[in-house]
Amino acid sequence: MWRIGILLILFSLYLQEGSAQLKPFAFEDLEKMQSVEPRPVVVLIMTSWCKYCHSMKNTMLKNKEVSKILSERFYVVFLNAEERKDIIYAGRKFKFKPSGVNTGFHELAEHLGTINGQLAFPSISLLNETNEIIYQHEGFLDASSLANLLKTLVGKLE
């Protein structure tokens, strides 16, 4: 009987932890979400081969402070810069642009992540409720730096 009690406690802790995690959206969902509750959008532009990109993604998903700020104040999208499917966003169709046999970048990653003429990974773009880029950051941010950046952005948005 005590084993069942322990299992129930562990299961409830797991559910509580899972419910506090950040839930990223797809670009296709943003229009509907913005019509219900307008919020700025944080886009993490990454690739499958970039270890710093995956580290930032994990920070966004698993760091309690970062995840809490993102969940409460922003919509979050993870954009694979090498995505090959078309993405419709803000009334426009964005496509993959090949640059070689098995290489290339998605137009949306290029549109949102180009800073000073370059697309670097990871990059963060902050979009307002009307899909305008209002802030960009190129390069890796650890959990503390990302939390501080998000707090600063929240302060500027208020």
mmCIF file of all heavy atoms in Angstrom, residues 46-92:
data_model
loop_
_atom_site.group_PDB
_atom_site.id
_atom_site.type_symbol
_atom_site.label_atom_id
_atom_site.label_comp_id
_atom_site.label_asym_id
_atom_site.label_seq_id
_atom_site.Cartn_x
_atom_site.Cartn_y
_atom_site.Cartn_z
ATOM 1 N N MET A 46 17.975 28.170 -34.916
ATOM 2 C CA MET A 46 18.986 27.169 -34.607
ATOM 3 C C MET A 46 19.158 26.186 -35.760
ATOM 4 O O MET A 46 18.444 26.278 -36.756
ATOM 5 C CB MET A 46 18.579 26.423 -33.338
ATOM 6 C CG MET A 46 17.184 25.819 -33.392
ATOM 7 S SD MET A 46 16.624 25.157 -31.825
ATOM 8 C CE MET A 46 17.663 23.734 -31.658
ATOM 9 N N THR A 47 20.102 25.277 -35.597
ATOM 10 C CA THR A 47 20.286 24.178 -36.552
ATOM 11 C C THR A 47 20.446 22.885 -35.761
ATOM 12 O O THR A 47 20.683 22.904 -34.556
ATOM 13 C CB THR A 47 21.551 24.374 -37.419
ATOM 14 O OG1 THR A 47 22.692 24.315 -36.583
ATOM 15 C CG2 THR A 47 21.506 25.684 -38.187
ATOM 16 N N SER A 48 20.341 21.779 -36.456
ATOM 17 C CA SER A 48 20.476 20.481 -35.789
ATOM 18 C C SER A 48 21.914 20.195 -35.363
ATOM 19 O O SER A 48 22.148 19.468 -34.414
ATOM 20 C CB SER A 48 19.978 19.367 -36.708
ATOM 21 O OG SER A 48 20.746 19.349 -37.898
ATOM 22 N N TRP A 49 22.893 20.786 -36.030
ATOM 23 C CA TRP A 49 24.296 20.494 -35.756
ATOM 24 C C TRP A 49 24.947 21.456 -34.760
ATOM 25 O O TRP A 49 26.094 21.272 -34.375
ATOM 26 C CB TRP A 49 25.104 20.495 -37.051
ATOM 27 C CG TRP A 49 24.844 21.679 -37.938
ATOM 28 C CD1 TRP A 49 23.987 21.722 -38.994
ATOM 29 C CD2 TRP A 49 25.424 22.983 -37.848
ATOM 30 N NE1 TRP A 49 23.990 22.980 -39.568
ATOM 31 C CE2 TRP A 49 24.868 23.768 -38.876
ATOM 32 C CE3 TRP A 49 26.352 23.575 -36.998
ATOM 33 C CZ2 TRP A 49 25.208 25.100 -39.076
ATOM 34 C CZ3 TRP A 49 26.691 24.905 -37.198
ATOM 35 C CH2 TRP A 49 26.131 25.646 -38.224
ATOM 36 N N CYS A 50 24.237 22.474 -34.327
ATOM 37 C CA CYS A 50 24.801 23.521 -33.461
ATOM 38 C C CYS A 50 24.605 23.168 -31.986
ATOM 39 O O CYS A 50 23.492 23.236 -31.474
ATOM 40 C CB CYS A 50 24.140 24.857 -33.794
ATOM 41 S SG CYS A 50 24.528 26.184 -32.653
ATOM 42 N N LYS A 51 25.702 22.812 -31.307
ATOM 43 C CA LYS A 51 25.592 22.413 -29.898
ATOM 44 C C LYS A 51 25.183 23.588 -29.016
ATOM 45 O O LYS A 51 24.481 23.402 -28.024
ATOM 46 C CB LYS A 51 26.884 21.777 -29.404
ATOM 47 C CG LYS A 51 28.071 22.703 -29.328
ATOM 48 C CD LYS A 51 29.297 21.980 -28.839
ATOM 49 C CE LYS A 51 30.474 22.943 -28.774
ATOM 50 N NZ LYS A 51 31.664 22.305 -28.267
ATOM 51 N N TYR A 52 25.581 24.805 -29.350
ATOM 52 C CA TYR A 52 25.183 25.975 -28.558
ATOM 53 C C TYR A 52 23.689 26.257 -28.716
ATOM 54 O O TYR A 52 23.031 26.694 -27.772
ATOM 55 C CB TYR A 52 26.016 27.195 -28.949
ATOM 56 C CG TYR A 52 27.472 27.011 -28.628
ATOM 57 C CD1 TYR A 52 28.408 26.800 -29.634
ATOM 58 C CD2 TYR A 52 27.915 27.014 -27.308
ATOM 59 C CE1 TYR A 52 29.746 26.606 -29.335
ATOM 60 C CE2 TYR A 52 29.247 26.825 -26.993
ATOM 61 C CZ TYR A 52 30.162 26.623 -28.018
ATOM 62 O OH TYR A 52 31.475 26.427 -27.709
ATOM 63 N N CYS A 53 23.173 25.988 -29.903
ATOM 64 C CA CYS A 53 21.729 26.148 -30.148
ATOM 65 C C CYS A 53 20.936 25.206 -29.238
ATOM 66 O O CYS A 53 19.959 25.619 -28.599
ATOM 67 C CB CYS A 53 21.390 25.832 -31.603
ATOM 68 S SG CYS A 53 22.212 26.876 -32.817
ATOM 69 N N HIS A 54 21.368 23.965 -29.178
ATOM 70 C CA HIS A 54 20.659 22.985 -28.359
ATOM 71 C C HIS A 54 20.789 23.300 -26.874
ATOM 72 O O HIS A 54 19.841 23.089 -26.111
ATOM 73 C CB HIS A 54 21.154 21.572 -28.677
ATOM 74 C CG HIS A 54 20.725 21.113 -30.029
ATOM 75 N ND1 HIS A 54 19.443 20.700 -30.305
ATOM 76 C CD2 HIS A 54 21.402 21.054 -31.200
ATOM 77 C CE1 HIS A 54 19.344 20.387 -31.579
ATOM 78 N NE2 HIS A 54 20.513 20.599 -32.149
ATOM 79 N N SER A 55 21.918 23.839 -26.491
ATOM 80 C CA SER A 55 22.097 24.242 -25.099
ATOM 81 C C SER A 55 21.134 25.384 -24.747
ATOM 82 O O SER A 55 20.510 25.372 -23.683
ATOM 83 C CB SER A 55 23.547 24.660 -24.864
ATOM 84 O OG SER A 55 23.733 25.029 -23.522
ATOM 85 N N MET A 56 20.988 26.357 -25.640
ATOM 86 C CA MET A 56 20.046 27.460 -25.385
ATOM 87 C C MET A 56 18.604 26.952 -25.374
ATOM 88 O O MET A 56 17.794 27.372 -24.553
ATOM 89 C CB MET A 56 20.206 28.576 -26.413
ATOM 90 C CG MET A 56 21.325 29.526 -26.043
ATOM 91 S SD MET A 56 21.463 30.948 -27.134
ATOM 92 C CE MET A 56 19.978 31.842 -26.760
ATOM 93 N N LYS A 57 18.285 26.051 -26.279
ATOM 94 C CA LYS A 57 16.939 25.477 -26.309
ATOM 95 C C LYS A 57 16.657 24.760 -24.987
ATOM 96 O O LYS A 57 15.577 24.938 -24.403
ATOM 97 C CB LYS A 57 16.807 24.500 -27.483
ATOM 98 C CG LYS A 57 15.446 23.853 -27.591
ATOM 99 C CD LYS A 57 15.392 22.914 -28.778
ATOM 100 C CE LYS A 57 14.061 22.210 -28.863
ATOM 101 N NZ LYS A 57 14.010 21.286 -30.016
ATOM 102 N N ASN A 58 17.600 23.973 -24.512
ATOM 103 C CA ASN A 58 17.422 23.278 -23.229
ATOM 104 C C ASN A 58 17.266 24.259 -22.087
ATOM 105 O O ASN A 58 16.458 24.034 -21.173
ATOM 106 C CB ASN A 58 18.588 22.323 -22.967
ATOM 107 C CG ASN A 58 18.495 21.078 -23.805
ATOM 108 O OD1 ASN A 58 17.424 20.671 -24.232
ATOM 109 N ND2 ASN A 58 19.638 20.472 -24.072
ATOM 110 N N THR A 59 18.028 25.342 -22.106
ATOM 111 C CA THR A 59 17.889 26.374 -21.078
ATOM 112 C C THR A 59 16.483 26.957 -21.104
ATOM 113 O O THR A 59 15.850 27.135 -20.068
ATOM 114 C CB THR A 59 18.933 27.496 -21.284
ATOM 115 O OG1 THR A 59 20.231 26.945 -21.100
ATOM 116 C CG2 THR A 59 18.721 28.639 -20.322
ATOM 117 N N MET A 60 15.985 27.245 -22.300
ATOM 118 C CA MET A 60 14.646 27.828 -22.429
ATOM 119 C C MET A 60 13.580 26.861 -21.922
ATOM 120 O O MET A 60 12.600 27.271 -21.306
ATOM 121 C CB MET A 60 14.378 28.230 -23.881
ATOM 122 C CG MET A 60 15.265 29.372 -24.348
ATOM 123 S SD MET A 60 15.154 29.662 -26.122
ATOM 124 C CE MET A 60 13.893 30.913 -26.159
ATOM 125 N N LEU A 61 13.773 25.592 -22.159
ATOM 126 C CA LEU A 61 12.785 24.594 -21.762
ATOM 127 C C LEU A 61 12.902 24.180 -20.297
ATOM 128 O O LEU A 61 11.888 23.919 -19.645
ATOM 129 C CB LEU A 61 12.925 23.346 -22.636
ATOM 130 C CG LEU A 61 12.492 23.480 -24.084
ATOM 131 C CD1 LEU A 61 12.921 22.255 -24.879
ATOM 132 C CD2 LEU A 61 10.992 23.700 -24.194
ATOM 133 N N LYS A 62 14.124 24.127 -19.773
ATOM 134 C CA LYS A 62 14.324 23.478 -18.475
ATOM 135 C C LYS A 62 14.740 24.393 -17.333
ATOM 136 O O LYS A 62 14.547 24.035 -16.181
ATOM 137 C CB LYS A 62 15.352 22.355 -18.630
ATOM 138 C CG LYS A 62 14.850 21.259 -19.551
ATOM 139 C CD LYS A 62 15.861 20.178 -19.742
ATOM 140 C CE LYS A 62 15.319 19.124 -20.705
ATOM 141 N NZ LYS A 62 16.288 18.120 -21.042
ATOM 142 N N ASN A 63 15.324 25.542 -17.628
ATOM 143 C CA ASN A 63 15.701 26.449 -16.552
ATOM 144 C C ASN A 63 14.431 27.102 -16.015
ATOM 145 O O ASN A 63 13.688 27.735 -16.766
ATOM 146 C CB ASN A 63 16.689 27.503 -17.053
ATOM 147 C CG ASN A 63 17.096 28.452 -15.954
ATOM 148 O OD1 ASN A 63 16.375 29.416 -15.673
ATOM 149 N ND2 ASN A 63 18.228 28.197 -15.339
ATOM 150 N N LYS A 64 14.176 26.948 -14.733
ATOM 151 C CA LYS A 64 12.904 27.396 -14.159
ATOM 152 C C LYS A 64 12.681 28.892 -14.315
ATOM 153 O O LYS A 64 11.581 29.316 -14.675
ATOM 154 C CB LYS A 64 12.817 26.988 -12.688
ATOM 155 C CG LYS A 64 12.633 25.509 -12.522
ATOM 156 C CD LYS A 64 12.532 25.097 -11.086
ATOM 157 C CE LYS A 64 12.405 23.574 -11.046
ATOM 158 N NZ LYS A 64 12.291 23.044 -9.747
ATOM 159 N N GLU A 65 13.703 29.693 -14.075
ATOM 160 C CA GLU A 65 13.535 31.153 -14.172
ATOM 161 C C GLU A 65 13.250 31.576 -15.606
ATOM 162 O O GLU A 65 12.321 32.337 -15.884
ATOM 163 C CB GLU A 65 14.776 31.860 -13.633
ATOM 164 C CG GLU A 65 14.659 33.369 -13.650
ATOM 165 C CD GLU A 65 15.891 34.073 -13.129
ATOM 166 O OE1 GLU A 65 16.978 33.459 -13.050
ATOM 167 O OE2 GLU A 65 15.766 35.267 -12.802
ATOM 168 N N VAL A 66 14.059 31.080 -16.547
ATOM 169 C CA VAL A 66 13.896 31.423 -17.960
ATOM 170 C C VAL A 66 12.552 30.926 -18.474
ATOM 171 O O VAL A 66 11.798 31.661 -19.118
ATOM 172 C CB VAL A 66 15.059 30.842 -18.799
ATOM 173 C CG1 VAL A 66 14.795 30.996 -20.284
ATOM 174 C CG2 VAL A 66 16.385 31.499 -18.411
ATOM 175 N N SER A 67 12.236 29.677 -18.184
ATOM 176 C CA SER A 67 10.987 29.082 -18.643
ATOM 177 C C SER A 67 9.770 29.836 -18.095
ATOM 178 O O SER A 67 8.792 30.048 -18.813
ATOM 179 C CB SER A 67 10.933 27.615 -18.226
ATOM 180 O OG SER A 67 9.775 27.007 -18.705
ATOM 181 N N LYS A 68 9.848 30.261 -16.854
ATOM 182 C CA LYS A 68 8.739 30.993 -16.236
ATOM 183 C C LYS A 68 8.506 32.336 -16.938
ATOM 184 O O LYS A 68 7.381 32.685 -17.278
ATOM 185 C CB LYS A 68 9.022 31.211 -14.751
ATOM 186 C CG LYS A 68 7.902 31.911 -13.996
ATOM 187 C CD LYS A 68 8.254 32.001 -12.516
ATOM 188 C CE LYS A 68 7.113 32.426 -11.662
ATOM 189 N NZ LYS A 68 6.712 33.765 -11.682
ATOM 190 N N ILE A 69 9.585 33.077 -17.167
ATOM 191 C CA ILE A 69 9.462 34.370 -17.852
ATOM 192 C C ILE A 69 8.876 34.165 -19.242
ATOM 193 O O ILE A 69 7.944 34.868 -19.656
ATOM 194 C CB ILE A 69 10.829 35.080 -17.945
ATOM 195 C CG1 ILE A 69 11.358 35.429 -16.559
ATOM 196 C CG2 ILE A 69 10.721 36.343 -18.807
ATOM 197 C CD1 ILE A 69 12.823 35.853 -16.545
ATOM 198 N N LEU A 70 9.415 33.208 -19.976
ATOM 199 C CA LEU A 70 8.942 32.956 -21.333
ATOM 200 C C LEU A 70 7.473 32.524 -21.336
ATOM 201 O O LEU A 70 6.684 33.007 -22.146
ATOM 202 C CB LEU A 70 9.812 31.905 -22.015
ATOM 203 C CG LEU A 70 11.210 32.364 -22.409
ATOM 204 C CD1 LEU A 70 12.065 31.172 -22.823
ATOM 205 C CD2 LEU A 70 11.160 33.413 -23.504
ATOM 206 N N SER A 71 7.104 31.624 -20.443
ATOM 207 C CA SER A 71 5.729 31.108 -20.402
ATOM 208 C C SER A 71 4.722 32.192 -20.067
ATOM 209 O O SER A 71 3.616 32.203 -20.608
ATOM 210 C CB SER A 71 5.610 29.992 -19.359
ATOM 211 O OG SER A 71 6.378 28.898 -19.729
ATOM 212 N N GLU A 72 5.103 33.097 -19.178
ATOM 213 C CA GLU A 72 4.161 34.114 -18.719
ATOM 214 C C GLU A 72 4.058 35.314 -19.642
ATOM 215 O O GLU A 72 3.019 35.963 -19.705
ATOM 216 C CB GLU A 72 4.567 34.603 -17.320
ATOM 217 C CG GLU A 72 4.385 33.543 -16.254
ATOM 218 C CD GLU A 72 4.882 33.973 -14.885
ATOM 219 O OE1 GLU A 72 5.455 35.091 -14.762
ATOM 220 O OE2 GLU A 72 4.706 33.194 -13.936
ATOM 221 N N ARG A 73 5.117 35.630 -20.382
ATOM 222 C CA ARG A 73 5.144 36.897 -21.107
ATOM 223 C C ARG A 73 5.249 36.796 -22.624
ATOM 224 O O ARG A 73 5.018 37.782 -23.321
ATOM 225 C CB ARG A 73 6.322 37.738 -20.604
ATOM 226 C CG ARG A 73 6.309 38.028 -19.119
ATOM 227 C CD ARG A 73 5.035 38.745 -18.675
ATOM 228 N NE ARG A 73 4.849 39.994 -19.348
ATOM 229 C CZ ARG A 73 5.015 41.189 -18.826
ATOM 230 N NH1 ARG A 73 5.380 41.305 -17.586
ATOM 231 N NH2 ARG A 73 4.817 42.275 -19.536
ATOM 232 N N PHE A 74 5.653 35.646 -23.148
ATOM 233 C CA PHE A 74 5.953 35.527 -24.568
ATOM 234 C C PHE A 74 5.332 34.263 -25.166
ATOM 235 O O PHE A 74 5.024 33.324 -24.450
ATOM 236 C CB PHE A 74 7.472 35.441 -24.793
ATOM 237 C CG PHE A 74 8.253 36.598 -24.269
ATOM 238 C CD1 PHE A 74 8.847 36.549 -23.012
ATOM 239 C CD2 PHE A 74 8.421 37.744 -25.024
ATOM 240 C CE1 PHE A 74 9.588 37.608 -22.519
ATOM 241 C CE2 PHE A 74 9.157 38.820 -24.546
ATOM 242 C CZ PHE A 74 9.739 38.754 -23.287
ATOM 243 N N TYR A 75 5.229 34.256 -26.480
ATOM 244 C CA TYR A 75 5.075 33.016 -27.220
ATOM 245 C C TYR A 75 6.485 32.668 -27.702
ATOM 246 O O TYR A 75 7.275 33.549 -28.038
ATOM 247 C CB TYR A 75 4.145 33.171 -28.413
ATOM 248 C CG TYR A 75 2.713 33.438 -28.018
ATOM 249 C CD1 TYR A 75 2.046 34.562 -28.475
ATOM 250 C CD2 TYR A 75 2.026 32.561 -27.174
ATOM 251 C CE1 TYR A 75 0.725 34.810 -28.112
ATOM 252 C CE2 TYR A 75 0.715 32.805 -26.802
ATOM 253 C CZ TYR A 75 0.076 33.929 -27.271
ATOM 254 O OH TYR A 75 -1.220 34.178 -26.906
ATOM 255 N N VAL A 76 6.802 31.387 -27.746
ATOM 256 C CA VAL A 76 8.137 30.943 -28.122
ATOM 257 C C VAL A 76 8.039 29.994 -29.311
ATOM 258 O O VAL A 76 7.181 29.116 -29.349
ATOM 259 C CB VAL A 76 8.838 30.237 -26.938
ATOM 260 C CG1 VAL A 76 10.191 29.682 -27.356
ATOM 261 C CG2 VAL A 76 8.990 31.200 -25.772
ATOM 262 N N VAL A 77 8.951 30.208 -30.269
ATOM 263 C CA VAL A 77 9.044 29.345 -31.445
ATOM 264 C C VAL A 77 10.504 28.946 -31.609
ATOM 265 O O VAL A 77 11.396 29.791 -31.515
ATOM 266 C CB VAL A 77 8.567 30.074 -32.724
ATOM 267 C CG1 VAL A 77 8.753 29.195 -33.943
ATOM 268 C CG2 VAL A 77 7.135 30.526 -32.596
ATOM 269 N N PHE A 78 10.748 27.660 -31.831
ATOM 270 C CA PHE A 78 12.071 27.171 -32.182
ATOM 271 C C PHE A 78 12.074 26.952 -33.688
ATOM 272 O O PHE A 78 11.284 26.162 -34.203
ATOM 273 C CB PHE A 78 12.394 25.859 -31.470
ATOM 274 C CG PHE A 78 12.400 25.978 -29.968
ATOM 275 C CD1 PHE A 78 11.720 25.080 -29.181
ATOM 276 C CD2 PHE A 78 13.095 27.001 -29.338
ATOM 277 C CE1 PHE A 78 11.726 25.182 -27.802
ATOM 278 C CE2 PHE A 78 13.113 27.119 -27.964
ATOM 279 C CZ PHE A 78 12.429 26.199 -27.190
ATOM 280 N N LEU A 79 12.948 27.665 -34.380
ATOM 281 C CA LEU A 79 12.997 27.592 -35.837
ATOM 282 C C LEU A 79 14.292 26.932 -36.284
ATOM 283 O O LEU A 79 15.384 27.461 -36.040
ATOM 284 C CB LEU A 79 12.890 28.996 -36.444
ATOM 285 C CG LEU A 79 13.026 29.098 -37.961
ATOM 286 C CD1 LEU A 79 11.949 28.282 -38.675
ATOM 287 C CD2 LEU A 79 12.981 30.553 -38.403
ATOM 288 N N ASN A 80 14.166 25.771 -36.918
ATOM 289 C CA ASN A 80 15.312 25.097 -37.514
ATOM 290 C C ASN A 80 15.637 25.836 -38.810
ATOM 291 O O ASN A 80 14.835 25.843 -39.745
ATOM 292 C CB ASN A 80 14.987 23.628 -37.781
ATOM 293 C CG ASN A 80 16.119 22.895 -38.466
ATOM 294 O OD1 ASN A 80 17.164 23.458 -38.781
ATOM 295 N ND2 ASN A 80 15.906 21.617 -38.731
ATOM 296 N N ALA A 81 16.796 26.457 -38.865
ATOM 297 C CA ALA A 81 17.183 27.255 -40.032
ATOM 298 C C ALA A 81 17.339 26.414 -41.288
ATOM 299 O O ALA A 81 17.386 26.953 -42.392
ATOM 300 C CB ALA A 81 18.482 28.005 -39.741
ATOM 301 N N GLU A 82 17.409 25.104 -41.133
ATOM 302 C CA GLU A 82 17.541 24.218 -42.288
ATOM 303 C C GLU A 82 16.243 23.463 -42.592
ATOM 304 O O GLU A 82 16.254 22.485 -43.334
ATOM 305 C CB GLU A 82 18.692 23.242 -42.048
ATOM 306 C CG GLU A 82 20.025 23.977 -41.896
ATOM 307 C CD GLU A 82 21.149 23.083 -41.430
ATOM 308 O OE1 GLU A 82 20.937 22.259 -40.529
ATOM 309 O OE2 GLU A 82 22.256 23.237 -41.978
ATOM 310 N N GLU A 83 15.144 23.942 -42.023
ATOM 311 C CA GLU A 83 13.825 23.340 -42.263
ATOM 312 C C GLU A 83 13.517 23.378 -43.757
ATOM 313 O O GLU A 83 13.689 24.393 -44.416
ATOM 314 C CB GLU A 83 12.761 24.130 -41.489
ATOM 315 C CG GLU A 83 11.343 23.673 -41.725
ATOM 316 C CD GLU A 83 11.112 22.271 -41.213
ATOM 317 O OE1 GLU A 83 11.336 22.031 -40.020
ATOM 318 O OE2 GLU A 83 10.700 21.419 -42.029
ATOM 319 N N ARG A 84 13.037 22.269 -44.273
ATOM 320 C CA ARG A 84 12.787 22.184 -45.712
ATOM 321 C C ARG A 84 11.328 22.394 -46.096
ATOM 322 O O ARG A 84 11.028 22.588 -47.266
ATOM 323 C CB ARG A 84 13.298 20.853 -46.248
ATOM 324 C CG ARG A 84 14.820 20.797 -46.140
ATOM 325 C CD ARG A 84 15.396 19.560 -46.754
ATOM 326 N NE ARG A 84 16.833 19.544 -46.578
ATOM 327 C CZ ARG A 84 17.701 19.917 -47.520
ATOM 328 N NH1 ARG A 84 17.264 20.328 -48.675
ATOM 329 N NH2 ARG A 84 18.988 19.866 -47.280
ATOM 330 N N LYS A 85 10.429 22.383 -45.119
ATOM 331 C CA LYS A 85 9.021 22.592 -45.474
ATOM 332 C C LYS A 85 8.702 24.090 -45.523
ATOM 333 O O LYS A 85 9.348 24.902 -44.848
ATOM 334 C CB LYS A 85 8.090 21.876 -44.502
ATOM 335 C CG LYS A 85 8.025 22.487 -43.139
ATOM 336 C CD LYS A 85 6.978 21.809 -42.276
ATOM 337 C CE LYS A 85 6.859 22.599 -40.971
ATOM 338 N NZ LYS A 85 5.733 22.261 -40.189
ATOM 339 N N ASP A 86 7.722 24.439 -46.341
ATOM 340 C CA ASP A 86 7.278 25.825 -46.423
ATOM 341 C C ASP A 86 6.616 26.229 -45.114
ATOM 342 O O ASP A 86 5.948 25.408 -44.472
ATOM 343 C CB ASP A 86 6.271 26.001 -47.566
ATOM 344 C CG ASP A 86 6.886 25.767 -48.937
ATOM 345 O OD1 ASP A 86 8.127 25.655 -49.035
ATOM 346 O OD2 ASP A 86 6.124 25.696 -49.910
ATOM 347 N N ILE A 87 6.799 27.481 -44.725
ATOM 348 C CA ILE A 87 6.162 28.017 -43.529
ATOM 349 C C ILE A 87 5.396 29.268 -43.932
ATOM 350 O O ILE A 87 5.963 30.175 -44.539
ATOM 351 C CB ILE A 87 7.198 28.365 -42.437
ATOM 352 C CG1 ILE A 87 7.951 27.109 -42.000
ATOM 353 C CG2 ILE A 87 6.520 29.038 -41.248
ATOM 354 C CD1 ILE A 87 9.106 27.384 -41.042
ATOM 355 N N ILE A 88 4.132 29.288 -43.594
ATOM 356 C CA ILE A 88 3.324 30.471 -43.847
ATOM 357 C C ILE A 88 3.259 31.260 -42.554
ATOM 358 O O ILE A 88 2.828 30.752 -41.520
ATOM 359 C CB ILE A 88 1.915 30.092 -44.345
ATOM 360 C CG1 ILE A 88 2.033 29.344 -45.667
ATOM 361 C CG2 ILE A 88 1.041 31.338 -44.480
ATOM 362 C CD1 ILE A 88 0.752 28.764 -46.179
ATOM 363 N N TYR A 89 3.724 32.506 -42.633
ATOM 364 C CA TYR A 89 3.752 33.366 -41.455
ATOM 365 C C TYR A 89 3.524 34.812 -41.888
ATOM 366 O O TYR A 89 4.102 35.263 -42.878
ATOM 367 C CB TYR A 89 5.093 33.236 -40.734
ATOM 368 C CG TYR A 89 5.215 34.150 -39.552
ATOM 369 C CD1 TYR A 89 4.378 34.017 -38.451
ATOM 370 C CD2 TYR A 89 6.148 35.166 -39.531
ATOM 371 C CE1 TYR A 89 4.479 34.858 -37.368
ATOM 372 C CE2 TYR A 89 6.257 36.006 -38.450
ATOM 373 C CZ TYR A 89 5.415 35.855 -37.371
ATOM 374 O OH TYR A 89 5.509 36.694 -36.303
ATOM 375 N N ALA A 90 2.669 35.488 -41.157
ATOM 376 C CA ALA A 90 2.374 36.902 -41.403
ATOM 377 C C ALA A 90 1.915 37.124 -42.848
ATOM 378 O O ALA A 90 2.296 38.095 -43.494
ATOM 379 C CB ALA A 90 3.578 37.765 -41.064
ATOM 380 N N GLY A 91 1.103 36.183 -43.355
ATOM 381 C CA GLY A 91 0.538 36.325 -44.696
ATOM 382 C C GLY A 91 1.522 36.084 -45.826
ATOM 383 O O GLY A 91 1.241 36.427 -46.973
ATOM 384 N N ARG A 92 2.657 35.499 -45.537
ATOM 385 C CA ARG A 92 3.684 35.266 -46.553
ATOM 386 C C ARG A 92 4.177 33.827 -46.470
ATOM 387 O O ARG A 92 4.275 33.262 -45.387
ATOM 388 C CB ARG A 92 4.839 36.242 -46.304
ATOM 389 C CG ARG A 92 5.918 36.170 -47.324
ATOM 390 C CD ARG A 92 6.950 37.261 -47.123
ATOM 391 N NE ARG A 92 8.162 36.887 -47.805
ATOM 392 C CZ ARG A 92 9.363 37.347 -47.510
ATOM 393 N NH1 ARG A 92 9.508 38.212 -46.543
ATOM 394 N NH2 ARG A 92 10.404 36.949 -48.184
#
